[in-house]
Amino acid sequence: MRTVAVIGKNFGDEGKGLAVDYLSLNSIHPLIVRHNGGAQSGHTVERRLPENTRFVFHELSSGSLCHAATLWAPGYYPDIYKLGEEMTEFQDAFGFVPDIYAMEDTCITVPDDVLLNMALESSRGEKRHGSCGMGINECDIRTGAGYGLKLGDIRGLSADELCVRLFKLRSEYTFARLKDIGNSLDERAEEYCGLLSDDNVIINAADVMADNLRHVKILTPRELKDLLDGVGTLIFESGQGLLLDKDNEEYAPHVTASNTGLLSVRRFLDLIGSSLDEAIYVSRSYVTRHGAGRLECECSPEEIGKICKDRTNETNRWQGQLRYARHESETAFVKEVRRDLDRGGMENCRVSLLLTHLNETGHRISMKNGDVTPEQFVSCPCIEETFDDFYLSASPYAEDVKKLN
């Protein structure tokens, strides 16, 4: 079984969906592992045929158009309530939905997590952390406090039984958490705080969640082994990017609630007794950031090139507008990649780089000190020493990805 990890090099939105689709197109019996983050991920896949095919994946894998199944691993926080919307949308568009598997220790996001997240972020005003308002950080805090709700614990529950579990969480955890963060909330949080006391929120959510759970195959360790025995390529689809890793103090507090690189991949590989064959880091030919926080070399999109409208990252009340920047330098480019390889203990795997959106920058890499061609970029000593292979993308389509000789 070949193992490949797709890692965002920057702040997310680099083209990880494109990379996973490319790998799935060129693999036999692929299985895609979602191992960090949750439903806040928005990975876009486009195809020329059928005409105008475009889908943004949140909880299904970006290999779904290739009929690749999705596996949720511990460290990924699925939102069972939201899952049904994505499945229905995909079914309506393509006439099928690939299998969804989950390890029984995988913990889920619950409606109270989302409401707590929204209450806090709305109260921060101009000091927002850049959250998507999807409850991932609150889910991580709750799980870390010992109140995680594992899929194995709710397998086969009826809507009424699930409702009891959600009310128990609210009484034992949510109200205490609300009290703890009370001084950080203001009148902008009133709507969300009111919903945290509304029984109907849980009652209605339990009905939807119980129905959606029927579509998830929850695996014991033995069942996981049996599944992996039939896999040709195991592809890790990471959420967000390295600069948003929860341990990246340089950008705190404007980071995410998970390890966004190889450390999370390593945990799963250790669990199944395997190693990583290739790590593919993905970066646009420029840099984007959707949300608050520092962004080196920030500029207008017009200064970079003919940037296409990003329909995945629309302006919204939580993250604001998508922001743009040039790459600072080749040395800065490899800094977090090398750190990630060291942290993940992946010294012996092949390391690749996929550069995307080259069509928007005249097939050049946008750098602070002047644009360079891909050939000039990869010949820089620190780039050449870090990466073994280079892939280029000048369109939204996986079939157009080329390897740089």
Side-chain angles (χ1 to χ4, degrees):
M1 179 177 69
R2 181 175 175 236
T3 55
V4 187
V6 173
I7 310 291
K9 199 204 75 66
N10 306 311
F11 296 97
D13 307 309
E14 301 95 345
K16 295 182 291 295
L18 171 77
V20 171
D21 189 35
Y22 169 77
L23 290 169
S24 301
L25 280 169
N26 293 281
S27 299
I28 298 174
H29 303 306
L31 174 67
I32 319 300
V33 182
R34 306 296 300 261
H35 59 94
N36 78 297
Q40 89 275 37
S41 297
H43 295 173
T44 305
V45 170
E46 297 189 47
R47 293 282 180 85
R48 287 192 176 89
L49 296 174
E51 188 177 359
N52 298 323
T53 294
R54 179 181 181 274
F55 198 87
V56 181
F57 293 97
H58 303 286
E59 301 185 76
L60 298 176
S61 83
S62 295
S64 293
L65 284 175
C66 297
H67 293 259
T70 301
L71 172 63
W72 296 335
Y76 182 77
Y77 294 132
D79 187 330
I80 303 300
Y81 180 80
K82 297 285 291 182
L83 175 65
E85 297 175 15
E86 186 173 353
M87 292 182 64
T88 299
E89 185 181 351
F90 191 87
Q91 174 72 45
D92 290 347
F94 306 109
F96 71 98
V97 177
D99 289 332
I100 304 170
Y101 298 96
M103 295 171 64
E104 58 185 3
D105 287 344
T106 301
C107 292
I108 67 168
T109 303
V110 300
D112 283 2
D113 296 326
V114 177
L115 293 171
L116 285 166
N117 183 181
M118 290 179 170
L120 266 173
E121 192 73 342
S122 62
S123 295
R124 291 181 180 128
E126 294 181 357
K127 295 183 179 180
R128 288 183 176 184
H129 289 177
S131 166
C132 296
M134 297 291 289
I136 306 303
N137 188 54
E138 286 299 323
C139 178
D140 188 65
I141 293 171
R142 173 175 54 78
T143 300
Y147 292 91
L149 190 57
K150 297 179 180 179
L151 281 169
D153 294 337
I154 60 174
R155 175 174 29 202
L157 293 188
S158 67
D160 288 343
E161 291 168 329
L162 183 55
C163 196
V164 170
R165 295 298 298 268
L166 295 176
F167 273 122
K168 188 172 187 289
L169 267 182
R170 177 171 281 187
S171 64
E172 293 182 354
Y173 175 80
T174 301
F175 292 143
R177 172 65 175 161
L178 193 58
K179 183 178 180 179
D180 287 343
I181 64 175
N183 290 336
S184 300
L185 304 180
D186 60 22
E187 67 279 357
R188 289 170 289 191
E190 288 179 1
E191 174 188 356
Y192 308 110
C193 293
L195 292 172
L196 286 167
S197 299
D198 187 341
D199 290 353
N200 288 320
V201 169
I202 285 181
I203 294 169
N204 294 334
D207 284 338
V208 175
M209 292 168 68
D211 186 58
N212 290 340
L213 273 171
R214 297 183 298 107
H215 302 285
V216 181
K217 300 174 177 64
I218 302 170
L219 305 177
T220 64
R222 177 64 200 182
E223 290 168 332
L224 173 63
K225 183 181 183 302
D226 291 341
L227 175 66
L228 294 177
D229 284 343
V231 173
T233 304
L234 191 65
I235 302 169
F236 294 88
E237 181 173 358
S238 304
Q240 297 77 50
L242 290 180
L243 299 181
L244 292 177
D245 188 281
K246 70 177 185 179
D247 298 325
N248 194 328
E249 296 180 0
E250 186 177 356
Y251 290 95
H254 307 287
V255 294
T256 192
S258 67
N259 292 124
T260 59
L262 292 177
L263 193 61
S264 178
V265 173
R266 179 60 179 268
R267 294 187 188 111
F268 184 87
L269 289 171
D270 287 346
L271 185 67
I272 64 173
S274 187
S275 58
L276 188 67
D277 295 319
E278 183 177 11
I280 301 179
Y281 292 90
V282 187
S283 174
R284 295 194 191 202
S285 54
Y286 52 95
V287 182
T288 61
R289 180 163 197 175
H290 202 192
R294 185 160 59 86
L295 178 59
E296 299 291 347
C297 306
E298 186 167 4
C299 61
S300 70
E302 291 77 18
E303 294 177 69
I304 295 172
K306 295 181 179 179
I307 308 301
C308 301
K309 178 178 172 59
D310 193 318
R311 291 190 288 160
T312 302
N313 294 289
E314 296 280 3
T315 301
N316 62 73
R317 64 178 297 189
W318 302 108
Q319 295 172 287
Q321 290 183 322
L322 187 65
R323 301 156 61 196
Y324 298 86
R326 295 186 173 93
H327 291 288
E328 185 177 0
S329 68
E330 288 84 359
T331 302
F333 191 97
V334 301
K335 175 184 173 184
E336 288 300 327
V337 172
R338 289 178 173 176
R339 179 173 178 265
D340 188 49
L341 290 165
D342 289 342
R343 290 182 77 205
M346 303 292 187
E347 298 87 353
N348 298 320
C349 76
R350 197 157 190 83
V351 183
S352 302
L353 173 65
L354 168 60
L355 290 165
T356 67
H357 295 73
L358 284 161
N359 54 304
E360 299 181 339
T361 55
H363 212 75
R364 299 172 75 85
I365 319 300
S366 182
M367 308 295 295
K368 177 182 178 180
N369 292 326
D371 295 353
V372 297
T373 66
E375 291 77 11
Q376 290 171 326
F377 182 76
V378 304
S379 66
C380 179
C382 64
I383 300 293
E384 195 172 33
E385 291 167 6
T386 302
F387 300 104
D388 300 300
D389 292 309
F390 300 90
Y391 297 87
L392 306 178
S393 170
S395 87
Y397 309 114
E399 55 264 39
D400 292 343
V401 172
K402 305 294 183 185
K403 188 172 184 178
L404 181 64
N405 295 323

